[in-house]
């Protein structure tokens, strides 16, 4: 249950703190005083989106924090799945910065909005006035059936199978769509592939062939210049090596006279050795240079083929041609194996569909079992709420698989005897919607282990004895759930175990919304005003006091 609520810097709220009672909490106040604002702040805890327009002071961040007692509620698995710390007290916090950036925390661990919604959906349920409109939608009606059937595990498994089927079906559909185009391109792609495959391209051959050709085309000049270079170094008449030999001889002589010349001698000897090696290598290179016109022509033909393929495919090197060849091979191979691939994809899609149908039927069966009990329970409650001739028919039709199953649920309603039940959105008035929604929330409360339920003016359009009965139902629900009810009816306000009053404070330079817990006498005055206006009569005050005494007596019993 919600044990503490803190709202700071939100809309008309500078700072507000609330410590709700464990059972039935009543919130009243004039229209526009801030009741809906407080509900909007609670909505942020449940994962609703927000922006900087919610800031009371645009220079400070907004903080909404709720402390929930979760002992005895089976929600620890969700914390484990979301890798969150679990304890008997759960602290949920939402912050909106001045820049509009939103952050959420569960037990001081940062979480995204999806995780926040998943956790808080197990802590609190808010019935807003918008829910009465939603009641007319088939999707919302299906959610009611699922909640009553308590088929969460079946629905979760169905959704896993649905996503698996959609994934397999998408793959198969894409293959089919691609198959026609791939077959049309096959002949052309196969021709290009065979041409490139026949070329037997090697990664670095272009560079090595261009270098070899350059040598062959300039073989005579290279050979001549290598010969000249060799002769400069070493010939029989006069050469660098001969001169260097003389240098070594002279240095060898003087090094015998003094050790200080030994290093010069060693350097000269090393140079002589290096020059002899160089001369030998030049001579070897000269021997390796062949004048081979046949080889040169072969290389030219090979390079011309490479250049033509590069121009044809608009690429700059052999590596790109090889990459293109491999891609064409993949495309050609894909078409050659297309029938097998399609057959395999179809088999996987068919198997996934069979599994989807199986889990869908299992889920549907669980829903079918509860349709009649829902009709019976709601019908009985509607009679208690002053609609003895009302009837509700819950119909189910099998449809194609959707993310929520294979069922289309329709609530058909009639408030009057002899009138054929029709779609809710076509026949129910505001007061009838309120009573029907109250009956639905009442029966669902026993099916869910929700700690806290919030009713935002679920009593719209009702009064008198019906309002008393709705108040009794809320009080009954409060034995197993914490109830927070925003109301304008004194019949319901008098049933609360705690009563809070929302009002506007104009004492400062800027109007703010505040809330206070009413004492018994303050409750008497507030309920009296709800009965007789701002200046209630003595009889209205007496009536209010009597309502509260009756509630206290009923609580004791």
């Amino acid at each position: 249950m919600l044990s503490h609520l803190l709202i700071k810097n939100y809309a008309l709220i500078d700072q507000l703190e609330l410590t709700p009672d464990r059972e039935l909490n009543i919130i009243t106040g004039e229209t526009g005083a801030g009741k809906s604002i407080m509900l909007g702040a609670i909505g942020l805890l449940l994962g609703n989106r927000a922006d900087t327009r919610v800031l009371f002071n645009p220079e400070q961040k907004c903080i909404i924090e709720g402390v929930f007692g979760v002992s005895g509620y089976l929600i620890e698995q969700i914390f484990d799945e979301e890798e969150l710390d679990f304890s008997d007290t759960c602290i949920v916090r939402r912050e909106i910065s001045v820049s509009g950036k939103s952050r959420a925390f569960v037990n001081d661990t940062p979480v995204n909005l999806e995780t926040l919604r998943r956790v808080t959906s197990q802590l609190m349920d808010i019935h807003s006035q918008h829910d009465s409109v939603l009641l007319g939608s088939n999707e919302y009606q299906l959610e009611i059936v699922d909640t009553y059937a308590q088929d969460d595990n079946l629905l979760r498994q169905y959704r896993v199978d649905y996503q698996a089927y959609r994934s397999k079906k998408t793959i198969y559909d894409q293959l089919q769509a691609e198959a026609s185009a791939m077959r049309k391109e096959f002949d052309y792609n196969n021709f290009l592939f065979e041409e490139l495959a026949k070329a037997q391209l090697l990664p670095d051959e272009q560079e090595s062939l261009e270098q070899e050709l350059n040598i062959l085309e300039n073989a005579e000049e290279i050979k001549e210049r290598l010969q000249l270079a060799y002769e400069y170094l070493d010939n029989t008449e006069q050469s660098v090596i001969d001169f260097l030999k003389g240098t070594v001889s002279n240095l060898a002589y003087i090094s015998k006279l003094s050790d200080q010349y030994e290093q010069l001698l060693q350097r000269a000897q090393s140079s002589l050795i290096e020059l002899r090696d160089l001369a030998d290598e030049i001579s070897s290179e000269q021997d390796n240079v062949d004048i081979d016109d046949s080889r040169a022509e072969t290389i030219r033909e090979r390079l011309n083929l490479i250049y033509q393929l590069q121009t044809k495919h608009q690429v700059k090197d052999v590596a790109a041609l090889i990459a293109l060849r491999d891609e064409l091979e993949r495309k050609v191979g894909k078409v050659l194996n297309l029938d097998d691939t399609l057959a395999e994809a179809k088999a996987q899609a068919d198997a996934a569909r069979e599994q989807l149908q199986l889990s869908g039927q299992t889920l549907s069966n669980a829903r079918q079992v509860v349709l009649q009990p829902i009709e019976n329970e709601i019908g009985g409650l509607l009679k208690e709420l002053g609609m003895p001739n009302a009837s509700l028919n819950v119909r189910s039709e099998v449809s194609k698989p959707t993310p929520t199953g294979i069922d289309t649920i329709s609530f058909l309603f009639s408030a009057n005897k002899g009138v054929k039940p029709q779609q809710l959105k076509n026949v129910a008035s505001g007061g009838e919607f309120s009573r029907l929604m109250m009956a639905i929330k009442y029966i669902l409360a026993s099916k869910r282990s929700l700690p806290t339920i919030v009713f935002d003016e679920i009593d719209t359009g009702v009064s008198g004895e019906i309002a008393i009965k709705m108040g009794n139902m809320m009080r009954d629900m409060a034995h197993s759930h914490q109830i927070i009810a925003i109301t304008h009816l004194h019949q319901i306000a008098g049933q609360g175990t705690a009563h809070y009053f929302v009002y506007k404070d104009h004492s400062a330079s800027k109007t703010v919304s505040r809330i206070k817990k009413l004492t018994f006498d303050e409750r008497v005055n507030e309920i009296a005003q709800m009965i007789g206006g701002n200046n209630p009569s003595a009889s209205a005050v007496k009536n209010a006091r009597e309502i509260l005494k009756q509630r206290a007596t009923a609580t004791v019993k």
Side-chain angles (χ1 to χ4, degrees):
M1 69 172 192
L2 179 65
S3 59
H4 186 262
L5 175 67
L6 169 67
I7 303 173
K8 292 179 64 176
N9 201 40
Y10 179 80
L12 292 179
I13 298 174
D14 179 18
Q15 179 162 327
L16 178 152
E17 292 191 66
L18 180 67
T19 304
D21 187 82
R22 295 181 64 89
E23 296 189 7
L24 178 54
N25 299 270
I26 300 297
I27 298 177
T28 61
E30 295 182 0
T31 301
K35 300 186 297 297
S36 296
I37 292 174
M38 186 175 68
L39 202 62
I42 294 174
L44 290 180
L45 284 183
L46 271 63
N48 293 347
R49 296 193 176 276
D51 54 40
T52 53
R53 288 176 295 180
V54 304
L55 301 183
F56 174 79
N57 181 346
E59 296 180 357
Q60 297 179 4
K61 68 180 178 180
C62 164
I63 299 176
I64 317 292
E65 183 176 274
V67 180
F68 295 85
V70 295
S71 178
Y73 296 96
L74 304 177
I75 60 174
E76 187 171 354
Q77 181 181 350
I78 291 177
F79 282 74
D80 290 339
E81 291 173 355
E82 296 293 341
E83 298 182 352
L84 296 171
D85 294 331
F86 179 82
S87 65
D88 290 343
T89 298
C90 176
I91 302 174
V92 180
R93 187 170 75 256
R94 186 85 181 273
E95 298 179 358
I96 312 297
S97 69
V98 294
S99 64
K101 184 179 179 180
S102 169
R103 297 197 302 166
F105 304 85
V106 174
N107 291 338
D108 291 328
T109 300
V111 297
N112 57 33
L113 287 185
E114 182 179 350
T115 298
L116 179 67
R117 293 187 189 108
R118 187 178 182 207
V119 171
T120 56
S121 68
Q122 303 301 311
L123 304 177
M124 178 180 287
D125 174 60
I126 296 181
H127 165 80
S128 67
Q129 297 177 50
H130 180 57
D131 285 347
S132 294
V133 178
L134 285 177
L135 183 55
S137 73
N138 297 110
E139 292 79 8
Y140 192 78
Q141 292 164 13
L142 179 60
E143 289 181 20
I144 293 170
V145 172
D146 282 332
T147 301
Y148 190 94
Q150 297 179 289
D151 57 15
D152 289 353
N153 290 335
L154 295 179
L155 182 57
R156 192 177 298 113
Q157 181 59 52
Y158 171 84
R159 284 175 172 159
V160 170
D161 293 338
Y162 181 80
Q163 291 302 324
Y165 168 68
R166 292 298 305 166
S167 175
K168 301 296 185 184
K169 183 69 164 57
T170 298
I171 292 173
Y172 177 60
D173 290 343
Q174 287 177 343
L175 277 174
Q176 280 191 310
E178 294 172 1
S180 177
M182 286 192 297
R183 286 191 175 103
K184 289 180 181 178
E185 296 174 357
F186 173 75
D187 289 341
Y188 180 63
N189 286 339
N190 191 49
F191 169 76
L192 294 179
F193 166 69
E194 289 182 351
E195 183 180 47
L196 288 171
K198 184 179 179 181
Q200 296 182 332
L201 299 169
L202 300 174
D204 300 321
E205 67 171 317
Q206 182 177 352
E207 292 78 5
S208 61
L209 288 174
E210 287 174 339
Q211 183 177 357
E212 184 180 356
L213 180 61
N214 196 34
I215 292 173
L216 288 171
E217 289 180 337
N218 297 277
E220 290 185 3
E221 184 176 359
I222 292 172
K223 202 172 186 67
E224 180 180 340
R225 289 185 178 275
L226 286 172
Q227 177 63 32
L228 288 174
Y230 176 78
E231 290 179 356
Y232 281 129
L233 289 174
D234 192 12
N235 63 32
T236 55
E237 297 178 359
Q238 188 178 33
S239 68
V240 172
I241 290 177
D242 285 338
F243 287 131
L244 190 53
K245 285 180 180 178
T247 301
V248 169
S249 177
N250 286 297
L251 290 174
Y253 179 81
I254 64 174
S255 64
K256 293 177 181 178
L257 302 178
S258 174
D259 292 342
Q260 75 179 66
Y261 304 114
E262 182 65 30
Q263 186 175 6
L264 290 175
L265 173 62
Q266 291 177 1
R267 291 174 62 188
Q269 287 176 332
S270 296
S271 297
L272 180 60
I273 293 170
E274 177 63 24
L275 286 178
R276 281 174 172 166
D277 286 344
L278 177 60
D280 290 342
E281 287 189 27
I282 291 175
S283 179
S284 296
E285 288 295 333
Q286 183 185 17
D287 293 338
N288 291 334
V289 176
D290 294 325
I291 300 174
D292 189 343
D293 294 337
S294 175
R295 174 60 181 165
E297 185 60 30
T298 299
I299 293 176
R300 289 191 192 95
E301 291 177 357
R302 180 63 175 174
L303 286 173
N304 284 337
L305 173 61
I306 292 174
Y307 296 150
Q308 288 172 6
L309 290 173
Q310 289 174 346
T311 302
K312 180 176 183 177
H313 296 287
Q314 297 181 344
V315 296
K316 296 180 178 180
D317 51 38
V318 173
L321 287 175
I322 292 174
L324 177 61
R325 178 197 66 196
D326 294 343
E327 174 64 16
L328 288 169
E329 183 178 22
R330 186 191 66 79
K331 289 182 177 180
V332 169
K334 193 173 183 179
V335 175
L336 292 174
N337 299 309
L338 191 57
D339 290 339
D340 291 340
T341 305
L342 279 170
E344 176 62 22
K346 185 177 186 302
Q348 291 186 11
D350 290 344
R353 183 177 180 83
E354 288 180 11
Q355 178 59 40
L356 177 64
Q357 289 288 1
L358 179 61
S359 58
Q361 190 59 55
T362 303
L363 175 62
S364 181
N365 293 342
R367 290 166 172 169
Q368 298 297 325
V369 170
V370 303
L371 299 187
Q372 190 62 50
I374 290 174
E375 290 182 3
N376 295 340
E377 287 195 50
I378 292 178
L381 291 171
L382 289 177
K383 288 180 173 60
E384 292 183 25
L385 292 172
M387 301 176 68
N389 296 314
S391 62
L392 177 71
N393 294 334
V394 184
R395 292 186 179 177
S396 175
E397 296 179 358
V398 176
S399 60
K400 66 179 182 179
T402 70
T404 54
I406 60 173
D407 304 290
T408 298
I409 297 295
S410 300
F411 282 20
L412 304 181
F413 178 76
S414 173
N416 303 302
K417 189 176 182 179
V419 178
K420 182 180 180 181
Q422 299 180 47
Q423 292 281 350
L424 274 173
K425 58 187 176 183
N426 298 328
V427 294
S429 65
E432 291 166 348
F433 257 126
S434 295
R435 282 178 275 182
L436 181 57
M437 183 59 82
M438 185 70 230
I440 290 171
K441 291 290 183 178
Y442 184 80
I443 67 169
L444 294 185
S446 64
K447 301 294 183 180
R448 302 184 67 182
S449 60
L450 273 171
T452 302
I453 300 174
V454 180
F455 290 121
D456 180 21
E457 298 184 15
I458 196 173
D459 49 30
T460 300
V462 301
S463 59
E465 185 66 23
I466 305 306
I468 294 174
K469 290 183 177 181
M470 290 183 74
N472 291 337
M473 292 174 70
M474 289 186 190
R475 188 177 64 195
D476 185 36
M477 293 169 66
H479 294 321
S480 54
H481 303 270
Q482 180 188 50
I483 305 296
I484 300 174
I486 298 173
T487 183
H488 288 293
L489 298 181
H490 67 273
Q491 297 95 330
I492 292 178
Q495 299 295 332
T497 51
H499 190 151
Y500 299 87
F501 181 68
V502 180
Y503 63 98
K504 285 185 177 179
D505 182 356
H506 304 287
S507 60
S509 59
K510 188 174 181 180
T511 299
V512 296
S513 288
R514 302 196 185 283
I515 190 170
K516 66 176 181 177
K517 186 176 183 179
L518 301 182
T519 65
F520 180 83
D521 289 337
E522 288 172 334
R523 288 191 71 181
V524 170
N525 185 61
E526 169 65 6
I527 293 174
Q529 289 188 39
M530 295 174 76
I531 296 172
N534 291 333
N535 298 304
S537 63
S539 62
V541 173
K542 181 180 179 181
N543 190 8
R545 193 176 298 275
E546 185 65 27
I547 289 172
L548 290 176
K549 286 183 177 179
Q550 288 177 356
R551 181 204 60 78
T553 302
T555 301
V556 171
K557 290 181 180 180

